[in-house]
Amino acid sequence: KSYIILPTTLLVKQTYEKIINMANKAGIGVNVVAYHSELSSEEKRVAKEKIEKKDYNILITTSNYLSKNPIDD
C-alpha cells in the first residue's frame, strides 16, 4: 500500500488521473482511492468506507485530510 499526501485538491485530482492512465497503459489493475473536497457527498462516503476498510493499493489525499483523519496502520 502507498499513501500520497499532497497540498491541494488540484494536485490530488491530477495525480489520480496520471496514476490511472499509467496503470491502464501498463495493463496493471490498481485500486486507487482519491479523497478531496470536490467529491460529492456520496463519493466521499464511498471513499471513506474504502479508506476505513483499507480497500486500496494507493491512497491519495490532501494534507488537510490527514490532519483531520489520522490513518492507522
Side-chain angles (χ1 to χ4, degrees), residues 4-70:
I4 301 170
I5 305 164
L6 299 164
T8 66
T9 294
L10 179 60
L11 287 173
V12 169
K13 291 165 62 176
Q14 289 174 342
T15 302
Y16 175 81
E17 289 300 321
K18 285 186 178 196
I19 290 172
I20 294 299
N21 288 336
M22 287 183 347
N24 288 340
K25 285 180 185 177
I28 299 169
V30 64
N31 184 4
V32 183
V33 174
Y35 191 99
H36 55 80
S37 62
E38 294 180 10
L39 295 174
S40 69
S41 295
E42 177 63 14
E43 290 170 325
K44 286 180 181 179
R45 186 191 64 74
V46 170
K48 283 273 257 192
E49 199 172 278
K50 287 184 175 188
I51 294 167
E52 289 170 3
K53 292 180 179 179
K54 300 190 185 321
D55 182 21
Y56 58 84
N57 299 112
I58 301 172
L59 173 60
I60 310 168
T61 72
T62 60
S63 52
N64 189 40
Y65 175 86
L66 178 61
S67 69
K68 294 178 182 178
N69 303 280

